């Protein structure tokens, strides 16, 4: 009794501290209580990786490494709230190009060493108020067009420019412009017609023209090229699409803008109208590459977009450099993006653990291993539950068959476990390849599926099979899946994710509940069934 | 009605067993002793409790080959994992033949297969936390003739729950065909309640369901007198009294020549014994708690148990 009281007091204390900080945060700052469903804020992180080793063919070995990188710019729709760089060892210079809104960052380093290096750029983007969150998704009919405009970084040759000047397919150009002019009345309808023509990739005139632009597949560039020939003020916009879901590596999208008086209007490829560009985050204008490098090779660029659900909180943290509350000062949101992503998952683990302890102590669910289900539910978070459950069951069944076979060879226990582990890795790899070729996107998620956990599950399951028979194994297997599913739905919940990450002090409450569950001496749910016959006997005896 | 009847009948649940009886009464560091059959044997011998004779111990993989030498002079033997639980990994060899080892269930195991089993035991396949283990090879118990009609192969044993040295509840565990010659209830063995005062059997259970006859032999389970009952109670009480375990399950086998022998002690005894005895444990444990200070020696504790926990 004394211990139970002690535990109760401790739990109450922890709960009170957790709730106290939580309420303080809520009242003293603008931290939103509910997760922000309409994404109004994003993190954009660009990672430039390269090797600063001078090319062995270069005569001038002392050439300094220099990277010119376009930066995103404010647009009517999006605003860059904050940005920062990680460019150790490099000088950084940011300038705005003449006669344009393009911003360029130049990173230079005098003494190029033989080393692979990284430059990080991170920006916090917000949707401007006034722009209501219109539908994010492109309708399916327009999807193909938008996809067509997705261009990959790094396909470029300098020769195109020379070709452009020397071998202009004049007849074809004149023909195309004439055709478009006949069907149009003003500048915009002309631009629309040109764009329509540029879409006809089987037209030999377009094919001739496409050889003269930098990206032969780009409808936008072909159209812009033709419009320039017809002396229409035109420019190519480059940007990225900010989605509601996390994108690990996104591509740039191109669009066409035509000048109307002092405004630039963009052609919406979906409904063929000109309006202010409000779909993409503008990165730069023109047909230049997003980055150019000298004195460096193996240059690569990856752009990560992460919607920020904790909009208000980020704003609170970022705008008030010295935050009002020490709890905000030392919040998770000040950490680097990669660390934040790890923590977002990490804070869910205690929630899963609480669910497991309730399922074990109060329900009496049997599982393979105690905390295996949490790891499986974390894996489900990656794969999605519809793919996750069959995948899990499939891998475990195939693994069991393999183990059954190994059993015949009478291998010793540790090498056998290692063999199962190896087989599991191969199996998951094979499944990923097969799924990919069937068009089921698993790619990234499968690689994060905790393979060791799978192998251990297989080993436990097969041991149980031998020791306790098929029935117990199936029961424990179903228990594992059930616990994983329950855990999954608790962890995947927007509110749980938001509260656990933004209000980590609530985990003290979780800790308190856990301590209370630890002193629960009542019956488990399954014991009512286990002692069913005894209860019946005793109830009869009473009468 | 249903949800409350567990509480009303004083049935002990697993959480209450752990929180109210195991944790406060069994010091954590002692579990090791109960989990290791070798340590258990040492303790038993030190307080004068008979155990089955040990033929040999195998600790390393290269010693597995010496098995034939260890059992050279014995017609039968038992192989046990040193830290096994719930009867897992135990193998009873009735007879060593030309073709291999004849098991309790009659099937013959090839020498290679037995060696593989031994390697698995050493690798920790049956040990409680999966750590590497050792193998105990000991004498097979020739069970008392009393059980011939109600035991299917294997060895029946008597489980006594001892609380602070006071025998609390007892049950006879009988192996069945389903349980593969093992007496453990969770494997399908039959549990039969025992009247603590007289040592006479009560009704039986299998997989938590009541039965009157042994499922294979068809012989009635009720009304058998367990031989050496006073000695069994004394052994159990002694183990509870002389060790630091406050709440203990004691498993005793009856050898036809040597009488009761201690098989193992269990620091986390199961709760099905309540079903077999058609009575909850809570009330008996509380009765003991109230009287404990007045009970000074083993005799008094046994007398107290026989007086208070008799069945009419």
């Amino acid at each position: 009794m004394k211990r139970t009281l002690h535990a109760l007091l401790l739990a109450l204390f922890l709960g009170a501290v957790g709730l106290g900080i939580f309420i303080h945060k809520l009242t003293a700052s603008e931290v939103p209580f509910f997760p922000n469903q309409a994404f109004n804020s994003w993190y954009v992180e660009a990672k430039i990786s390269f090797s600063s080793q001078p090319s062995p063919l270069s005569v001038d070995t002392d050439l300094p490494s220099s990277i010119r990188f376009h930066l995103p710019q404010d647009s009517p729709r999006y605003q860059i709230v904050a940005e920062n760089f990680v460019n150790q060892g490099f000088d950084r210079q940011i300038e705005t190009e003449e006669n344009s809104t393009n911003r360029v960052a130049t990173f230079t380093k005098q003494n190029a060493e033989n080393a692979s290096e990284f430059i990080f750029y991170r920006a916090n983007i917000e949707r401007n108020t006034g722009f209501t969150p219109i539908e994010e998704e492109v309708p399916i009919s327009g999807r193909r067009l938008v996809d067509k405009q997705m261009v990959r970084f790094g396909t470029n040759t300098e020769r195109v420019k020379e070709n452009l000047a020397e071998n202009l397919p004049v007849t074809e150009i004149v023909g195309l412009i004439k055709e478009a002019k006949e069907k149009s009345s003003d500048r915009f309808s002309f631009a629309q017609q040109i764009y329509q023509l540029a879409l006809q990739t089987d037209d030999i005139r377009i094919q001739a023209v496409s050889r003269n632009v930098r990206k032969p597949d780009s409808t936008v560039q072909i159209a812009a090229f033709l419009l320039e020939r017809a002396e229409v003020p035109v420019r190519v916009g480059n940007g990225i699409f900010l989605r509601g879901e996390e994108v690990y590596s996104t591509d740039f999208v191109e669009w066409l803008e035509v000048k109307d008086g002092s405004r630039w209007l963009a052609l919406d490829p979906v409904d063929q109208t000109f309006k202010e560009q409000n779909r993409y985050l503008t990165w730069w204008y023109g047909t230049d590459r997003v980055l150019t490098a000298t004195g460096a090779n193996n240059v690569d660029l990856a752009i990560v977009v992460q919607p920020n659900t904790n909009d208000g909180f980020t704003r609170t943290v970022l705008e008030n450099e010295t935050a009002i509350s020490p709890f905000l000062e030392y919040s998770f949101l000040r950490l680097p993006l990669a660390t934040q992503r790890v923590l977002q998952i990490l804070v869910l683990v205690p929630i899963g653990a609480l669910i497991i302890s309730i399922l074990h102590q109060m329900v009496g669910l049997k599982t393979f291993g105690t905390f295996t289900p949490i790891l499986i539910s974390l894996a489900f978070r990656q794969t999605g539950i519809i793919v996750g459950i069959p995948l899990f069951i499939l891998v475990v069944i195939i693994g069991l068959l393999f183990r059954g076979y190994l059993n015949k060879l009478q291998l010793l226990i540790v090498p056998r476990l290692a063999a199962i582990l190896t087989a599991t890795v191969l199996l998951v790899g094979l499944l990923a390849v097969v799924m990919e070729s069937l068009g089921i996107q698993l790619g990234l998620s499968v690689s994060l599926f905790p393979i060791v956990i799978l192998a251990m599950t297989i080993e436990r399951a097969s041991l149980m099979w031998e020791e306790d028979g098929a029935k117990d194994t199936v029961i424990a297997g179903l228990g594992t899946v059930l616990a994983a599913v329950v855990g999954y739905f608790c962890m995947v919940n927007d509110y749980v994710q938001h509260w656990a990450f933004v209000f980590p002090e609530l985990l003290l409450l979780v800790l308190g509940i856990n301590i209370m569950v630890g002193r629960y001496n009542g019956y488990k749910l399954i014991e009512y069934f286990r002692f069913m016959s005894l209860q019946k006997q005793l109830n009869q005896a009473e009468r | 009605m249903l949800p409350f009847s567990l509480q009303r009948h004083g049935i002990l649940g697993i959480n209450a067993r752990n929180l109210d009886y195991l944790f406060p009464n069994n010091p954590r560091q002692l579990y090791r002793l109960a989990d290791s059959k070798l340590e258990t044997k040492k303790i038993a011998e030190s307080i004068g409790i008979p155990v089955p004779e040990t033929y040999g111990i195998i600790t390393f993989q290269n010693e597995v080959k010496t098995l034939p030498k260890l059992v050279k002079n014995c017609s039968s033997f038992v192989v046990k994992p040193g830290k096994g639980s719930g009867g897992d990994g135990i193998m009873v060899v009735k007879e060593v033949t030309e073709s291999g080892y004849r098991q309790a269930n009659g099937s013959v195991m090839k020498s290679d297969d037995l060696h593989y089993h031994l390697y698995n035991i050493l690798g920790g396949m049956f040990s409680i936390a999966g750590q590497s283990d050792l193998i105990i090879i000991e004498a097979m118990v020739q069970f008392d003739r009393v059980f011939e009609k109600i035991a299917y192969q294997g060895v029946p044993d008597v489980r006594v729950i001892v609380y602070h040295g006071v025998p609390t509840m007892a049950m006879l565990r009988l192996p069945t065909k389903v349980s593969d010659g093992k007496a453990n209830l969770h494997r399908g063995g039959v549990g039969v309640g025992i009247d603590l005062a007289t040592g006479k059997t009560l009704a039986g259970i299998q997989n938590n369901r009541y039965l009157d006859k042994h499922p294979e032999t068809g012989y009635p389970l009720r009304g058998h007198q367990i031989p050496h009952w006073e000695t069994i109670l004394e052994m159990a009480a002694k183990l509870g009294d002389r060790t630091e375990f406050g709440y203990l399950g004691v498993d005793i086998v009856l050898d036809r020549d040597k009488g009761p022998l201690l098989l193992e002690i269990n620091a986390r005894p199961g709760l099905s014994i309540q079903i077999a005895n058609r009575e909850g444990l809570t009330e008996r444990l509380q009765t003991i708690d109230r009287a404990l200070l007045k009970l000074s020696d083993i005799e008094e504790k046994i007398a107290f148990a026989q007086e208070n926990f008799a069945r009419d």
Side-chain angles (χ1 to χ4, degrees), chain A residues 128-428:
Chain A
N128 283 334
T129 45
F131 270 95
T132 45
I134 53 152
E135 82 292 351
E136 286 293 342
E137 289 307 313
V138 179
I140 292 168
S141 58
R143 183 101 235 170
R144 199 179 51 84
L145 284 167
V146 174
D147 283 346
K148 208 174 152 67
Q149 288 178 24
M150 294 273 190
V151 284
R152 292 199 170 272
F153 156 76
T155 50
N156 185 27
T157 56
E158 284 299 313
R159 252 177 292 159
V160 175
K161 267 184 188 159
E162 295 159 24
N163 194 19
L164 188 76
E166 286 165 16
N167 310 314
L168 269 186
V170 183
T171 355
E172 284 87 346
I173 293 169
V174 170
L176 283 165
I177 291 175
K178 200 175 155 216
E179 187 184 331
K181 275 224 167 99
E182 278 165 10
K183 291 189 202 159
S184 60
S185 52
D186 62 350
R187 181 184 282 177
F188 291 109
S189 55
F190 174 64
Q192 281 166 4
Q193 289 304 326
I194 289 285
Y195 188 82
Q196 289 297 326
L197 286 169
L199 280 172
Q200 318 284 321
T201 45
D202 48 356
D203 188 324
I204 50 161
R205 295 174 299 177
I206 292 297
Q207 284 167 5
V209 173
S210 78
R211 280 191 285 276
N212 285 280
V213 298
R214 198 168 68 76
K215 293 188 193 102
D217 293 332
S218 162
T219 313
V220 170
Q221 289 205 12
I222 295 169
F225 176 81
L226 287 170
L227 286 168
E228 266 172 24
R229 299 302 121 194
E231 291 175 341
V232 172
V234 70
R235 65 177 180 178
V236 176
N238 300 268
I240 55 174
F241 192 25
L242 300 178
R243 286 163 207 262
E245 64 207 51
E246 182 167 315
V247 180
Y248 279 97
S249 188
T250 189
D251 293 320
F252 287 107
V253 180
E254 287 182 324
W255 66 88
L256 194 66
E257 286 193 14
V258 173
K259 200 169 189 178
D260 174 37
S262 59
R263 311 184 294 163
W264 288 93
L265 294 179
L267 176 69
D268 187 324
V270 181
D271 58 9
Q272 292 290 315
T273 56
F274 278 91
K275 55 191 169 202
E276 216 152 351
Q277 194 283 116
N278 65 358
R279 193 183 294 269
Y280 309 111
L281 168 69
T282 310
W283 207 281
W284 81 102
Y285 289 106
T287 54
D288 294 348
R289 287 198 286 181
V290 63
L291 83 88
T292 45
T294 52
N297 48 30
N298 298 330
V299 186
D300 199 10
L301 174 70
I303 291 176
V304 181
V305 176
Q306 190 190 25
N308 177 15
T309 38
N310 315 310
D311 180 19
F313 192 30
T314 324
R315 200 185 298 141
T316 317
V317 172
L318 287 172
E319 282 176 2
N320 312 318
E321 270 304 315
T322 46
I324 338 141
S325 154
F327 298 113
L328 291 181
E329 180 88 40
Y330 298 104
S331 87
F332 288 159
L333 282 152
R334 289 194 171 261
L335 296 170
L337 211 52
T339 318
Q340 280 192 29
R341 207 178 287 139
V342 171
L343 275 168
Q344 275 173 356
I345 296 170
L346 222 52
V347 289
L348 294 178
V349 172
I351 313 239
L354 176 66
I355 286 156
I356 295 290
S357 62
I358 289 172
L359 285 178
H360 258 261
Q361 295 317 126
M362 302 177 89
V363 178
L365 201 68
K366 281 197 178 71
T367 55
F368 300 134
T370 314
F371 289 110
T372 317
I374 305 186
L375 297 161
I376 295 171
S377 38
L378 282 177
F380 283 168
R381 248 183 112 251
Q382 306 282 346
T383 54
I385 203 135
I386 296 154
V387 180
I389 293 177
L391 191 72
F392 172 75
I393 292 172
L394 187 70
V395 171
V396 169
I397 285 175
I398 297 177
L400 274 176
L401 293 176
F402 181 67
R403 193 212 177 261
Y405 170 69
L406 284 188
N407 216 19
K408 282 188 188 161
L409 301 180
Q410 301 200 336
L411 299 185
L412 291 172
I413 189 158
V414 176
R416 187 176 59 207
L417 194 54
I420 292 169
L421 193 62
T422 313
T424 313
V425 172
L426 288 173
L427 189 64
V428 172

Side-chain angles (χ1 to χ4, degrees), chain A residues 361 407 410-411 416 463 466-467 519-524 527-528 530 533-535 537-539 542, chain B residues 2-3 5-6 8-9 11 13-16 19-20 88 113 116 125-126 187 208 210 272 278:
Chain A
Q361 295 317 126
N407 216 19
Q410 301 200 336
L411 299 185
R416 187 176 59 207
L463 255 183
E466 274 174 25
E467 292 296 309
R519 290 301 302 179
Y520 170 76
N521 71 352
Y523 299 104
K524 296 182 180 186
E527 283 177 331
Y528 289 108
R530 181 183 171 188
S533 51
L534 176 57
Q535 290 177 74
Q537 289 275 333
L538 291 172
N539 286 342
E542 266 181 19
Chain B
L2 251 189
S5 62
L6 286 182
R8 197 154 44 84
H9 295 308
I11 295 165
I14 202 113
N15 288 331
L19 283 178
D20 301 341
D88 292 346
D113 290 335
Y116 178 59
M125 191 160 162
F126 306 103
R187 301 174 136 255
N208 295 345
Y210 286 97
S272 297
R278 300 194 193 198

Side-chain angles (χ1 to χ4, degrees), chain B residues 37-50:
Chain B
K37 293 205 172 64
L38 214 56
E39 295 288 342
T40 307
K41 276 189 161 178
K42 276 186 203 155
I43 294 170
E45 279 165 347
S46 72
I47 56 174
I49 286 172

Side-chain angles (χ1 to χ4, degrees), chain B residues 91-108:
Chain B
M91 191 161 281
V92 181
V93 176
K94 260 184 158 175
E95 199 185 353
V96 186
T97 63
E98 296 266 312
S99 54
Y101 300 93
R102 188 182 299 282
Q103 285 178 264
N105 61 10
S107 66
V108 175

Side-chain angles (χ1 to χ4, degrees), chain A residues 459-519:
Chain A
E459 178 68 15
R460 271 175 208 273
S462 53
L463 255 183
M464 203 171 208
W465 194 289
E466 274 174 25
E467 292 296 309
D468 303 330
K471 196 179 145 201
D472 284 19
T473 315
V474 173
I475 289 173
L478 290 178
T480 307
V481 174
L482 182 68
V485 170
V486 172
Y488 168 79
F489 280 113
C490 291
M491 291 199 271
V492 90
N493 184 292
D494 279 342
Y495 291 89
V496 172
Q497 291 197 4
H498 173 78
W499 288 330
F501 186 67
V502 178
F503 304 108
E505 61 275 5
L506 287 180
L507 293 182
L508 288 176
L509 204 64
V510 170
L511 181 61
I513 298 172
N514 233 325
I515 287 170
M516 284 317 293
V517 174
R519 290 301 302 179

